[in-house]
Amino acid sequence: MEGIAENIQAVTERIRNACSRVNRDPSSIKLVAVTKGIGMEAIREAYNAGLRVFGENYMQEAKSKIQGLPGDIKWHFIGHLQRNKAKAVVGSFEVIHSINSLRLAEEVAIRAREKNVVQKVFLQVNIAEESAKSGCGKNDALQILDSMSRMEGLELQGLMCIPPLSDDAGASRPYFKELREIRDRAAEMLKRPIDALGLSMGMSADFEVAIEEGATAIRVGNAIFGPRN
């Protein structure tokens, strides 16, 4: 786990360079450090290097980290969320990136109202229509977003996707572009400014391409903490 601070510096530089290529402000990109399988000591090291936003995939794993690490950390839930786990996740995380259906959105809204919180959420779109991936269908996204925008207890943040795994970062570009186009149509439909809806897209292998295509949140694990065992 050596070199976390240096890795963060390198990722930050890559963010800056990607932003400069498309004339974007680096401060408009939220870096979510993915800590699935990462111990408290390494997360503390990243915290001490200045990171404050961390993403977890499982409530069970996140619980002890949330309790044991500094209270000013913003925790984001980025893993697959089952409806029966919604109650535990709502309110424990600032943002849920992985709302994948209208039924899950409704469940999260119910739990948020029960806890008297407003839960920030992204709608996950299965952008490549892969059978093994979670997310709503591309053709359903606008209708679901419309419903979510009216749900008491939810604060709609935008759209999320995970493109197909590839050794070529450029292979992700058409999927990121397509998600951005869906977002643009959603903003028009909801009568919101485009920058009021974000795009959670891009991971260690392709976040620079994601930034070039409009990402506002990138989920980076290996480039910060090194490969997981």
Side-chain angles (χ1 to χ4, degrees), residues 86 89-96 99 104-122 147-157 192:
V89 168
V90 169
S92 298
F93 292 84
E94 184 192 33
V95 186
I96 299 171
I99 301 295
L104 179 58
E106 288 167 345
E107 181 68 22
V108 167
I110 288 166
R111 298 304 181 182
R113 292 195 298 271
E114 283 176 357
K115 295 187 176 187
N116 201 26
V117 297
V118 175
Q119 181 64 61
K120 296 177 180 178
V121 294
F122 284 90
S147 298
M148 286 172 68
S149 72
R150 294 195 299 270
M151 285 183 196
E152 191 184 341
L154 298 189
E155 185 181 316
L156 186 58
Q157 300 295 290
R192 295 189 186 186

Side-chain angles (χ1 to χ4, degrees), residues 75-97:
W75 292 97
H76 288 214
F77 191 86
I78 59 174
H80 176 63
L81 179 58
Q82 296 169 302
R83 282 184 17 251
N84 63 354
K85 301 284 173 61
K87 184 177 181 178
V89 168
V90 169
S92 298
F93 292 84
E94 184 192 33
V95 186
I96 299 171
H97 288 243

Side-chain angles (χ1 to χ4, degrees), residues 80 98-101 123-127 133-137 160:
H80 176 63
S98 47
I99 301 295
N100 60 20
S101 69
L123 175 65
Q124 182 175 354
V125 179
N126 187 351
I127 199 70
K133 284 247 176 79
S134 189
C136 74
M160 184 270 247

Side-chain angles (χ1 to χ4, degrees), residues 36-188:
K36 179 178 84 169
I38 300 299
M40 304 265 263
E41 192 181 327
I43 299 171
R44 258 194 207 96
E45 208 175 317
Y47 176 90
N48 290 336
L51 294 193
R52 291 295 181 272
V53 184
F54 296 93
E56 282 284 334
N57 290 61
Y58 305 107
M59 184 66 211
Q60 199 171 355
E61 184 185 338
K63 198 172 180 181
S64 59
K65 296 177 184 178
I66 292 170
Q67 290 171 348
L69 288 161
D72 62 336
I73 287 176
K74 306 291 188 189
W75 292 97
H76 288 214
F77 191 86
I78 59 174
H80 176 63
L81 179 58
Q82 296 169 302
R83 282 184 17 251
N84 63 354
K85 301 284 173 61
K87 184 177 181 178
V89 168
V90 169
S92 298
F93 292 84
E94 184 192 33
V95 186
I96 299 171
H97 288 243
S98 47
I99 301 295
N100 60 20
S101 69
L102 185 57
R103 287 182 75 194
L104 179 58
E106 288 167 345
E107 181 68 22
V108 167
I110 288 166
R111 298 304 181 182
R113 292 195 298 271
E114 283 176 357
K115 295 187 176 187
N116 201 26
V117 297
V118 175
Q119 181 64 61
K120 296 177 180 178
V121 294
F122 284 90
L123 175 65
Q124 182 175 354
V125 179
N126 187 351
I127 199 70
E129 299 179 321
E130 296 175 274
S131 57
K133 284 247 176 79
S134 189
C136 74
K138 292 185 287 190
N139 295 333
D140 300 325
L142 290 181
Q143 192 176 353
I144 295 171
L145 283 170
D146 186 38
S147 298
M148 286 172 68
S149 72
R150 294 195 299 270
M151 285 183 196
E152 191 184 341
L154 298 189
E155 185 181 316
L156 186 58
Q157 300 295 290
L159 295 156
M160 184 270 247
C161 77
I162 305 171
L165 195 62
S166 172
D167 293 332
D168 173 21
S172 297
R173 191 179 297 277
Y175 300 106
F176 294 150
K177 185 180 178 189
E178 189 171 12
L179 193 73
R180 187 187 74 230
E181 288 167 351
I182 295 170
R183 187 277 312 270
D184 292 353
R185 293 202 301 275
E188 188 178 354

